[in-house]
Each structure stands twice: as structure tokens, then as C-alpha cells.
Amino acid sequence: MIEVKKLTGEYLNDLKPKEVLDLGCGLGKKSLRFLKGGTNVTGIDKNKFRISQEHFKFIQSDIKEYKFEKQYDLIIASLILHFFRETVAIKIIKQIKDHTLEGGLNFLICMSNEDSCSKEKSENFYPSLKKLKELYSGWEIVKEDQDFTAEEEHGDLPPHNHNLIFLLVKKVI
Ligand SMILES: C[S@@+](CC[C@H](N)C(=O)[O-])C[C@H]1O[C@@H](n2cnc3c(N)ncnc32)[C@H](O)[C@@H]1O
């Protein structure tokens, strides 16, 4: 079973990136941890979150319209790609890859094709692990996991769980 907070720590806590981009950052749960090390973090979200911390630049934008400004050594897309149609999500992944420095990393958490939400929104991006890895062919797979989360309740939804893919990949030279 996947425990998101714990597993995220296992993926990210030992990394020492200099420039991080967090797409759909929300409250910055995935990227604020890097500020301790003096890392510059840019967080993009369509909703205005009040994250005012030194070295954290928040940009309110829809990811679909966001023009990537530079190259990063870590780009995070956590629990965001399922909001987009598959063709759009694949274009976003291409942008992410193109704006990653050589030797840099991408960290993705995706709801998979085994998640119950994938049946309700079948046109959106709920990839299999195989498909996600194919999109990163030529990159080094540093770490991967896929499993269900524990049952949870939020919003108006009945108790449910999710099937998540965690993927950390490195752009090899
Ligand atoms: C499930 S939350 C994940 C937040 C964070 N990435 C995390 O892992 O904790 C999804 C976030 O994506 C943002 N979001 C959804 N669609 C978006 C879009 N088209 N452009 C930018 N942000 C978007 C939401 O506002 C929300 O903060």
C-alpha cells in the first residue's frame, strides 16, 4: 500500500537540486522541503496559494498556458496530469522533458489506469506504468512504485482509494 507522504520523502528528501519547478504545486507539499537547502523553487498553480517564503516564486497560471522560462534540475508534476486530456498531458510531459537540464530529474505522481476515476474520465490522462515509462524512453528510471493508497474520504466522495504511480527519472547525457 502507498502512503503518499512517507513515500514522497523516500523519493525526494535526499535530493539536492538547485532549481526546482513544481507544476500544480498547491500548498507546496512536495517542493517546500527544498527551501532549507537554499534551492530556488518556482511553483505554478491556477489557484492563488499564499506561499510567501524566501526562494519560493509562486506564479498563478494554468499549466496549459504557462511558458516555461528556463531549465531546471528537478521538475515535479504531482497529482496534476489527470486533470488534462491525454494529448494535452503528453504535450506537458514533452515540455517538462525539454526544460530539464542534462543530469536533471523529473518526479511524477500520477493516478493510474487502475484508479477508479479513470473509468469516469477515460479521455483524461490515467497512464499505466508501462506507458509512462515509454514516454521517458532513453531516460534512466531511478525509482518507481505503483500501488493503492489506504481508503480515504474527502469532498462529497464516498470512501475510496487511489491507484498511484510514483516515478523518478533522470535525463541522461
Ligand atoms: C491534487 S492537487 C496536488 C497538489 C500538489 N501537487 C501535491 O502533490 O500536493 C492538484 C493541484 O493542481 C492545481 N491545478 C489543477 N488544474 C490545473 C491547471 N490546469 N493549471 C495549474 N494548476 C492546476 C489545483 O489548483 C491543485 O492545487
Side-chain angles (χ1 to χ4, degrees):
M1 194 177 66
I2 281 184
E3 212 274 85
V4 174
K5 195 171 169 191
K6 181 169 174 284
L7 193 57
T8 300
E10 289 172 23
Y11 273 72
L12 297 183
N13 286 351
D14 291 337
L15 304 181
K16 306 256 179 281
K18 292 194 186 79
E19 289 286 341
V20 175
L21 177 65
D22 186 0
L23 294 169
C25 62
L27 293 168
K29 279 188 201 163
K30 303 299 183 300
S31 54
L32 284 177
R33 73 193 68 221
F34 295 112
L35 296 180
K36 278 183 261 155
T39 303
N40 292 314
V41 178
T42 303
I44 312 293
D45 205 287
K46 68 175 183 180
N47 289 311
K48 190 165 177 64
F49 288 99
R50 286 202 188 86
I51 304 172
S52 59
Q53 296 221 35
E54 202 182 354
H55 298 298
F56 191 100
K57 181 179 170 191
F58 178 78
I59 299 173
Q60 186 175 12
S61 170
D62 190 314
I63 295 165
K64 288 199 293 293
E65 274 118 51
Y66 180 65
K67 303 265 177 297
F68 287 58
E69 288 168 352
K70 54 184 178 185
Q71 302 282 110
Y72 299 88
D73 43 20
L74 172 63
I75 301 184
I76 299 171
S78 162
L79 297 170
I80 176 75
L81 291 171
H82 61 280
F83 288 110
F84 302 101
R85 285 178 183 265
E86 176 155 340
T87 47
V88 175
I90 289 172
K91 277 188 200 150
I92 294 170
I93 290 176
K94 185 176 181 321
Q95 288 263 78
I96 292 174
K97 289 168 67 183
D98 288 349
H99 289 83
T100 304
L101 289 161
E102 287 184 353
L105 297 161
N106 290 174
F107 173 59
L108 274 62
I109 305 179
C110 290
M111 288 195 193
S112 83
N113 62 334
E114 292 177 43
D115 194 291
S116 54
C117 295
S118 74
K119 275 100 202 154
E120 290 151 33
K121 292 189 181 159
S122 57
E123 68 283 6
N124 283 18
F125 188 63
Y126 290 93
S128 63
L129 179 56
K130 181 170 175 278
K131 164 96 184 173
L132 205 53
K133 283 162 67 174
E134 275 168 15
L135 291 168
Y136 277 98
S137 82
W139 287 48
E140 179 190 331
I141 309 292
V142 179
K143 195 166 162 57
E144 61 181 276
D145 282 280
Q146 178 173 8
D147 207 342
F148 284 94
T149 57
E151 208 164 71
E152 58 192 91
E153 276 184 76
H154 56 81
D156 311 331
L157 299 169
H160 63 282
N161 58 5
H162 291 290
N163 188 274
L164 300 183
I165 295 171
F166 276 57
L167 188 66
L168 183 66
V169 284
K170 183 173 183 178
K171 188 171 190 171
V172 285
I173 301 160

